[in-house]
Amino acid sequence: MRGLIRVVSLKQLKNLFTLMGCGDSINELKLHPKDNNLLLSASKDNSLRLWNLKTRRCILIFGGLEGHRDEVLSCDFDLNASYVLSCGMDHSVKMWSLESDDVKDIIQSSYTYNEEKPFPVLNKHFPVFSTRNIHRNYVDCVRWFGNFVLSKSCENKIMCWKPNLSVKKSSDIPDQSEVLHSFEYGNCDIWYMRFAVSPNFDAIAAGNQIGKVFLWDISEEPGKPAILSHQKCSTAIRQVCFSPDSTIMVAVSDDSSMWRWDKEVRPSTSS
């Protein structure tokens, strides 16, 4: 079956339970930054769903009238858990609010609801922001970077941009944005290639289709990326991720191999 979310205990090394409800394959999962009981899924069924892992319920669906018109490929929470970003095969990036009263109420009630009838899932049809002006192809990865957005398509670059929620053009949903920077790199013109932002927000990493990983230092004004490679790594790097302390980076390749790089910590020199 497709569209299943299996929750596994790493301590007990077993499957705890399975969440069902998505209409098709799931492309990405994200945990809420402040409540680890809340899980966001991005699906091929054109929607995002918010789940309560403690009560094992789907509590909220983002999609519908002004939602994505094709499968959702990526999603992310901002650090304050006020907004959700999503992007997909319809070339769009959308922003959804978690700050409305009905969303806050449904999250709270998902912990206490004990009636016999099914939980009243909330449907949100309208994002607070939506644009198709940043990319001209599938948007396969999106991440928050403070108040800015990082997103990429199969265009050999990661775009850094700022959504303008106050400017409306042709609809009731704001769609204007300002591009701030482009992180360019080569041999990445295929889709489903995920970049990562380090937890301390000092680095961006992305792999390409010939096994190289590009690492940008963004603690200062970004320059040319460092290129990490190995002679035995020559297939597409589909995803990279950082450890919680940002000192370890792991890349996953198309040949089923995983590659680890450790940050070199140089001893400070006393003057």
mmCIF file of all heavy atoms in Angstrom, residues 140-175:
data_model
loop_
_atom_site.group_PDB
_atom_site.id
_atom_site.type_symbol
_atom_site.label_atom_id
_atom_site.label_comp_id
_atom_site.label_asym_id
_atom_site.label_seq_id
_atom_site.Cartn_x
_atom_site.Cartn_y
_atom_site.Cartn_z
ATOM 1 N N ASP A 140 11.577 20.992 -5.944
ATOM 2 C CA ASP A 140 11.693 19.728 -5.219
ATOM 3 C C ASP A 140 12.243 19.852 -3.799
ATOM 4 O O ASP A 140 12.346 18.853 -3.087
ATOM 5 C CB ASP A 140 12.529 18.724 -6.012
ATOM 6 C CG ASP A 140 13.933 19.221 -6.304
ATOM 7 O OD1 ASP A 140 14.305 20.301 -5.823
ATOM 8 O OD2 ASP A 140 14.664 18.519 -7.039
ATOM 9 N N CYS A 141 12.585 21.070 -3.369
ATOM 10 C CA CYS A 141 13.074 21.235 -1.999
ATOM 11 C C CYS A 141 12.854 22.681 -1.564
ATOM 12 O O CYS A 141 13.137 23.622 -2.325
ATOM 13 C CB CYS A 141 14.559 20.873 -1.913
ATOM 14 S SG CYS A 141 15.193 20.760 -0.212
ATOM 15 N N VAL A 142 12.361 22.840 -0.347
ATOM 16 C CA VAL A 142 12.139 24.181 0.200
ATOM 17 C C VAL A 142 12.464 24.158 1.687
ATOM 18 O O VAL A 142 12.170 23.190 2.392
ATOM 19 C CB VAL A 142 10.689 24.644 -0.048
ATOM 20 C CG1 VAL A 142 9.691 23.788 0.725
ATOM 21 C CG2 VAL A 142 10.514 26.111 0.286
ATOM 22 N N ARG A 143 13.146 25.217 2.153
ATOM 23 C CA ARG A 143 13.521 25.330 3.564
ATOM 24 C C ARG A 143 13.409 26.789 4.009
ATOM 25 O O ARG A 143 13.687 27.714 3.237
ATOM 26 C CB ARG A 143 14.975 24.855 3.787
ATOM 27 C CG ARG A 143 15.228 23.398 3.419
ATOM 28 C CD ARG A 143 14.594 22.453 4.412
ATOM 29 N NE ARG A 143 14.864 21.067 4.088
ATOM 30 C CZ ARG A 143 14.029 20.263 3.436
ATOM 31 N NH1 ARG A 143 12.855 20.735 3.017
ATOM 32 N NH2 ARG A 143 14.343 19.001 3.207
ATOM 33 N N TRP A 144 13.049 26.973 5.263
ATOM 34 C CA TRP A 144 13.108 28.291 5.872
ATOM 35 C C TRP A 144 14.560 28.636 6.206
ATOM 36 O O TRP A 144 15.339 27.767 6.592
ATOM 37 C CB TRP A 144 12.297 28.336 7.161
ATOM 38 C CG TRP A 144 10.820 28.450 6.957
ATOM 39 C CD1 TRP A 144 9.897 27.453 7.081
ATOM 40 C CD2 TRP A 144 10.092 29.644 6.620
ATOM 41 N NE1 TRP A 144 8.645 27.942 6.832
ATOM 42 C CE2 TRP A 144 8.737 29.278 6.548
ATOM 43 C CE3 TRP A 144 10.466 30.954 6.359
ATOM 44 C CZ2 TRP A 144 7.735 30.196 6.234
ATOM 45 C CZ3 TRP A 144 9.478 31.873 6.055
ATOM 46 C CH2 TRP A 144 8.132 31.501 5.989
ATOM 47 N N PHE A 145 14.894 29.903 6.069
ATOM 48 C CA PHE A 145 16.194 30.414 6.506
ATOM 49 C C PHE A 145 15.922 31.733 7.206
ATOM 50 O O PHE A 145 15.990 32.807 6.610
ATOM 51 C CB PHE A 145 17.137 30.597 5.311
ATOM 52 C CG PHE A 145 18.504 31.111 5.675
ATOM 53 C CD1 PHE A 145 19.313 30.411 6.567
ATOM 54 C CD2 PHE A 145 18.990 32.299 5.133
ATOM 55 C CE1 PHE A 145 20.559 30.887 6.906
ATOM 56 C CE2 PHE A 145 20.240 32.782 5.465
ATOM 57 C CZ PHE A 145 21.028 32.071 6.356
ATOM 58 N N GLY A 146 15.561 31.648 8.493
ATOM 59 C CA GLY A 146 15.074 32.837 9.195
ATOM 60 C C GLY A 146 13.739 33.250 8.611
ATOM 61 O O GLY A 146 12.807 32.456 8.514
ATOM 62 N N ASN A 147 13.644 34.513 8.186
ATOM 63 C CA ASN A 147 12.440 34.994 7.511
ATOM 64 C C ASN A 147 12.526 34.840 5.998
ATOM 65 O O ASN A 147 11.596 35.233 5.280
ATOM 66 C CB ASN A 147 12.205 36.474 7.856
ATOM 67 C CG ASN A 147 11.859 36.674 9.317
ATOM 68 O OD1 ASN A 147 11.177 35.851 9.923
ATOM 69 N ND2 ASN A 147 12.344 37.762 9.897
ATOM 70 N N PHE A 148 13.629 34.297 5.528
ATOM 71 C CA PHE A 148 13.825 34.091 4.094
ATOM 72 C C PHE A 148 13.487 32.650 3.721
ATOM 73 O O PHE A 148 13.365 31.769 4.573
ATOM 74 C CB PHE A 148 15.262 34.410 3.692
ATOM 75 C CG PHE A 148 15.707 35.802 4.044
ATOM 76 C CD1 PHE A 148 17.015 36.047 4.434
ATOM 77 C CD2 PHE A 148 14.828 36.870 3.998
ATOM 78 C CE1 PHE A 148 17.437 37.324 4.762
ATOM 79 C CE2 PHE A 148 15.233 38.154 4.325
ATOM 80 C CZ PHE A 148 16.547 38.381 4.709
ATOM 81 N N VAL A 149 13.375 32.425 2.412
ATOM 82 C CA VAL A 149 13.058 31.100 1.893
ATOM 83 C C VAL A 149 14.183 30.640 0.977
ATOM 84 O O VAL A 149 14.697 31.416 0.162
ATOM 85 C CB VAL A 149 11.729 31.110 1.105
ATOM 86 C CG1 VAL A 149 11.445 29.734 0.504
ATOM 87 C CG2 VAL A 149 10.576 31.544 2.003
ATOM 88 N N LEU A 150 14.586 29.391 1.128
ATOM 89 C CA LEU A 150 15.516 28.749 0.207
ATOM 90 C C LEU A 150 14.738 27.685 -0.558
ATOM 91 O O LEU A 150 14.035 26.865 0.045
ATOM 92 C CB LEU A 150 16.675 28.094 0.959
ATOM 93 C CG LEU A 150 17.641 29.024 1.695
ATOM 94 C CD1 LEU A 150 18.538 28.216 2.631
ATOM 95 C CD2 LEU A 150 18.490 29.829 0.710
ATOM 96 N N SER A 151 14.868 27.697 -1.879
ATOM 97 C CA SER A 151 14.156 26.706 -2.682
ATOM 98 C C SER A 151 14.976 26.383 -3.916
ATOM 99 O O SER A 151 15.806 27.171 -4.365
ATOM 100 C CB SER A 151 12.770 27.223 -3.094
ATOM 101 O OG SER A 151 12.871 28.409 -3.875
ATOM 102 N N LYS A 152 14.754 25.180 -4.466
ATOM 103 C CA LYS A 152 15.468 24.786 -5.666
ATOM 104 C C LYS A 152 14.574 23.981 -6.591
ATOM 105 O O LYS A 152 13.608 23.342 -6.178
ATOM 106 C CB LYS A 152 16.734 23.974 -5.335
ATOM 107 C CG LYS A 152 16.492 22.576 -4.826
ATOM 108 C CD LYS A 152 17.778 21.734 -4.864
ATOM 109 C CE LYS A 152 18.129 21.283 -6.260
ATOM 110 N NZ LYS A 152 17.168 20.313 -6.834
ATOM 111 N N SER A 153 14.955 24.066 -7.855
ATOM 112 C CA SER A 153 14.330 23.268 -8.894
ATOM 113 C C SER A 153 15.456 22.537 -9.613
ATOM 114 O O SER A 153 16.552 22.394 -9.078
ATOM 115 C CB SER A 153 13.538 24.176 -9.840
ATOM 116 O OG SER A 153 12.937 23.435 -10.874
ATOM 117 N N CYS A 154 15.222 22.050 -10.810
ATOM 118 C CA CYS A 154 16.287 21.380 -11.575
ATOM 119 C C CYS A 154 16.960 22.396 -12.494
ATOM 120 O O CYS A 154 16.983 22.239 -13.716
ATOM 121 C CB CYS A 154 15.731 20.191 -12.353
ATOM 122 S SG CYS A 154 14.184 20.506 -13.194
ATOM 123 N N GLU A 155 17.497 23.452 -11.860
ATOM 124 C CA GLU A 155 18.064 24.585 -12.598
ATOM 125 C C GLU A 155 19.502 24.894 -12.190
ATOM 126 O O GLU A 155 20.006 25.980 -12.460
ATOM 127 C CB GLU A 155 17.188 25.827 -12.367
ATOM 128 C CG GLU A 155 15.747 25.645 -12.780
ATOM 129 C CD GLU A 155 14.805 26.671 -12.147
ATOM 130 O OE1 GLU A 155 15.103 27.169 -11.039
ATOM 131 O OE2 GLU A 155 13.764 26.950 -12.767
ATOM 132 N N ASN A 156 20.164 23.956 -11.494
ATOM 133 C CA ASN A 156 21.555 24.123 -11.080
ATOM 134 C C ASN A 156 21.770 25.289 -10.120
ATOM 135 O O ASN A 156 22.834 25.919 -10.118
ATOM 136 C CB ASN A 156 22.464 24.299 -12.304
ATOM 137 C CG ASN A 156 22.553 23.036 -13.142
ATOM 138 O OD1 ASN A 156 22.835 21.953 -12.632
ATOM 139 N ND2 ASN A 156 22.305 23.175 -14.437
ATOM 140 N N LYS A 157 20.764 25.581 -9.285
ATOM 141 C CA LYS A 157 20.936 26.666 -8.321
ATOM 142 C C LYS A 157 19.876 26.580 -7.236
ATOM 143 O O LYS A 157 18.790 26.021 -7.433
ATOM 144 C CB LYS A 157 20.876 28.031 -9.003
ATOM 145 C CG LYS A 157 19.606 28.296 -9.794
ATOM 146 C CD LYS A 157 19.722 29.606 -10.559
ATOM 147 C CE LYS A 157 18.511 29.815 -11.465
ATOM 148 N NZ LYS A 157 18.631 31.069 -12.253
ATOM 149 N N ILE A 158 20.237 27.118 -6.075
ATOM 150 C CA ILE A 158 19.322 27.273 -4.952
ATOM 151 C C ILE A 158 19.023 28.766 -4.824
ATOM 152 O O ILE A 158 19.936 29.587 -4.776
ATOM 153 C CB ILE A 158 19.941 26.747 -3.644
ATOM 154 C CG1 ILE A 158 20.272 25.253 -3.770
ATOM 155 C CG2 ILE A 158 19.003 26.991 -2.460
ATOM 156 C CD1 ILE A 158 21.117 24.735 -2.631
ATOM 157 N N MET A 159 17.765 29.106 -4.770
ATOM 158 C CA MET A 159 17.368 30.507 -4.701
ATOM 159 C C MET A 159 17.062 30.903 -3.257
ATOM 160 O O MET A 159 16.397 30.159 -2.526
ATOM 161 C CB MET A 159 16.131 30.759 -5.563
ATOM 162 C CG MET A 159 16.275 30.345 -7.017
ATOM 163 S SD MET A 159 17.584 31.228 -7.875
ATOM 164 C CE MET A 159 16.921 32.902 -7.845
ATOM 165 N N CYS A 160 17.563 32.061 -2.871
ATOM 166 C CA CYS A 160 17.226 32.655 -1.577
ATOM 167 C C CYS A 160 16.350 33.869 -1.849
ATOM 168 O O CYS A 160 16.748 34.769 -2.601
ATOM 169 C CB CYS A 160 18.494 33.060 -0.821
ATOM 170 S SG CYS A 160 18.174 33.849 0.786
ATOM 171 N N TRP A 161 15.176 33.904 -1.259
ATOM 172 C CA TRP A 161 14.238 34.989 -1.567
ATOM 173 C C TRP A 161 13.344 35.298 -0.361
ATOM 174 O O TRP A 161 13.288 34.533 0.600
ATOM 175 C CB TRP A 161 13.391 34.651 -2.786
ATOM 176 C CG TRP A 161 12.709 33.314 -2.752
ATOM 177 C CD1 TRP A 161 13.258 32.092 -3.035
ATOM 178 C CD2 TRP A 161 11.339 33.046 -2.423
ATOM 179 N NE1 TRP A 161 12.325 31.097 -2.897
ATOM 180 C CE2 TRP A 161 11.140 31.645 -2.536
ATOM 181 C CE3 TRP A 161 10.262 33.860 -2.054
ATOM 182 C CZ2 TRP A 161 9.904 31.052 -2.297
ATOM 183 C CZ3 TRP A 161 9.027 33.264 -1.806
ATOM 184 C CH2 TRP A 161 8.867 31.875 -1.937
ATOM 185 N N LYS A 162 12.707 36.430 -0.450
ATOM 186 C CA LYS A 162 11.862 36.899 0.651
ATOM 187 C C LYS A 162 10.440 37.100 0.150
ATOM 188 O O LYS A 162 10.205 37.864 -0.776
ATOM 189 C CB LYS A 162 12.400 38.214 1.220
ATOM 190 C CG LYS A 162 11.598 38.749 2.403
ATOM 191 C CD LYS A 162 12.205 40.031 2.944
ATOM 192 C CE LYS A 162 11.429 40.550 4.146
ATOM 193 N NZ LYS A 162 12.013 41.800 4.689
ATOM 194 N N PRO A 163 9.471 36.398 0.733
ATOM 195 C CA PRO A 163 8.073 36.623 0.343
ATOM 196 C C PRO A 163 7.549 37.932 0.927
ATOM 197 O O PRO A 163 7.923 38.319 2.034
ATOM 198 C CB PRO A 163 7.348 35.420 0.945
ATOM 199 C CG PRO A 163 8.193 35.012 2.100
ATOM 200 C CD PRO A 163 9.621 35.340 1.738
ATOM 201 N N ASN A 164 6.716 38.600 0.173
ATOM 202 C CA ASN A 164 6.095 39.836 0.629
ATOM 203 C C ASN A 164 4.613 39.549 0.861
ATOM 204 O O ASN A 164 3.839 39.427 -0.082
ATOM 205 C CB ASN A 164 6.272 40.946 -0.410
ATOM 206 C CG ASN A 164 5.880 42.310 0.138
ATOM 207 O OD1 ASN A 164 5.029 42.414 1.018
ATOM 208 N ND2 ASN A 164 6.492 43.357 -0.382
ATOM 209 N N LEU A 165 4.233 39.435 2.113
ATOM 210 C CA LEU A 165 2.864 39.056 2.439
ATOM 211 C C LEU A 165 1.883 40.217 2.338
ATOM 212 O O LEU A 165 0.670 40.008 2.435
ATOM 213 C CB LEU A 165 2.807 38.470 3.850
ATOM 214 C CG LEU A 165 3.659 37.230 4.111
ATOM 215 C CD1 LEU A 165 3.452 36.733 5.537
ATOM 216 C CD2 LEU A 165 3.342 36.125 3.127
ATOM 217 N N SER A 166 2.387 41.417 2.142
ATOM 218 C CA SER A 166 1.503 42.582 2.139
ATOM 219 C C SER A 166 1.104 43.029 0.739
ATOM 220 O O SER A 166 0.166 43.803 0.579
ATOM 221 C CB SER A 166 2.187 43.756 2.860
ATOM 222 O OG SER A 166 3.377 44.137 2.176
ATOM 223 N N VAL A 167 1.807 42.563 -0.290
ATOM 224 C CA VAL A 167 1.537 43.004 -1.659
ATOM 225 C C VAL A 167 0.701 41.964 -2.383
ATOM 226 O O VAL A 167 1.078 40.798 -2.477
ATOM 227 C CB VAL A 167 2.849 43.241 -2.438
ATOM 228 C CG1 VAL A 167 2.544 43.633 -3.883
ATOM 229 C CG2 VAL A 167 3.663 44.330 -1.758
ATOM 230 N N LYS A 168 -0.441 42.386 -2.891
ATOM 231 C CA LYS A 168 -1.311 41.512 -3.655
ATOM 232 C C LYS A 168 -1.377 42.026 -5.090
ATOM 233 O O LYS A 168 -1.427 43.220 -5.334
ATOM 234 C CB LYS A 168 -2.711 41.467 -3.044
ATOM 235 C CG LYS A 168 -2.741 40.952 -1.611
ATOM 236 C CD LYS A 168 -4.144 40.948 -1.058
ATOM 237 C CE LYS A 168 -4.165 40.452 0.383
ATOM 238 N NZ LYS A 168 -5.526 40.433 0.935
ATOM 239 N N LYS A 169 -1.393 41.091 -6.038
ATOM 240 C CA LYS A 169 -1.378 41.487 -7.438
ATOM 241 C C LYS A 169 -2.726 41.216 -8.094
ATOM 242 O O LYS A 169 -3.533 42.099 -8.290
ATOM 243 C CB LYS A 169 -0.248 40.768 -8.172
ATOM 244 C CG LYS A 169 -0.015 41.257 -9.585
ATOM 245 C CD LYS A 169 1.182 40.537 -10.217
ATOM 246 C CE LYS A 169 1.415 41.023 -11.635
ATOM 247 N NZ LYS A 169 2.544 40.317 -12.295
ATOM 248 N N SER A 170 -2.978 39.972 -8.445
ATOM 249 C CA SER A 170 -4.181 39.646 -9.204
ATOM 250 C C SER A 170 -5.181 38.805 -8.418
ATOM 251 O O SER A 170 -6.249 38.500 -8.914
ATOM 252 C CB SER A 170 -3.803 38.901 -10.494
ATOM 253 O OG SER A 170 -3.079 37.727 -10.190
ATOM 254 N N SER A 171 -4.853 38.432 -7.214
ATOM 255 C CA SER A 171 -5.763 37.602 -6.431
ATOM 256 C C SER A 171 -5.733 38.062 -4.987
ATOM 257 O O SER A 171 -5.048 39.014 -4.617
ATOM 258 C CB SER A 171 -5.353 36.127 -6.522
ATOM 259 O OG SER A 171 -4.133 35.922 -5.845
ATOM 260 N N ASP A 172 -6.501 37.393 -4.161
ATOM 261 C CA ASP A 172 -6.541 37.729 -2.744
ATOM 262 C C ASP A 172 -5.365 37.132 -1.984
ATOM 263 O O ASP A 172 -5.197 37.389 -0.800
ATOM 264 C CB ASP A 172 -7.846 37.232 -2.128
ATOM 265 C CG ASP A 172 -9.056 37.995 -2.666
ATOM 266 O OD1 ASP A 172 -8.881 39.159 -3.052
ATOM 267 O OD2 ASP A 172 -10.145 37.406 -2.670
ATOM 268 N N ILE A 173 -4.561 36.309 -2.642
ATOM 269 C CA ILE A 173 -3.415 35.673 -2.010
ATOM 270 C C ILE A 173 -2.134 36.373 -2.462
ATOM 271 O O ILE A 173 -1.871 36.454 -3.662
ATOM 272 C CB ILE A 173 -3.345 34.176 -2.373
ATOM 273 C CG1 ILE A 173 -4.623 33.464 -1.906
ATOM 274 C CG2 ILE A 173 -2.121 33.525 -1.744
ATOM 275 C CD1 ILE A 173 -4.704 32.018 -2.339
ATOM 276 N N PRO A 174 -1.340 36.925 -1.543
ATOM 277 C CA PRO A 174 -0.093 37.593 -1.944
ATOM 278 C C PRO A 174 0.800 36.661 -2.749
ATOM 279 O O PRO A 174 0.896 35.468 -2.464
ATOM 280 C CB PRO A 174 0.550 37.951 -0.597
ATOM 281 C CG PRO A 174 -0.593 38.020 0.366
ATOM 282 C CD PRO A 174 -1.561 36.980 -0.089
ATOM 283 N N ASP A 175 1.461 37.225 -3.786
ATOM 284 C CA ASP A 175 2.314 36.399 -4.639
ATOM 285 C C ASP A 175 3.623 37.084 -5.016
ATOM 286 O O ASP A 175 4.371 36.583 -5.855
ATOM 287 C CB ASP A 175 1.570 35.998 -5.924
ATOM 288 C CG ASP A 175 1.178 37.191 -6.787
ATOM 289 O OD1 ASP A 175 1.425 38.352 -6.367
ATOM 290 O OD2 ASP A 175 0.628 36.978 -7.878
#
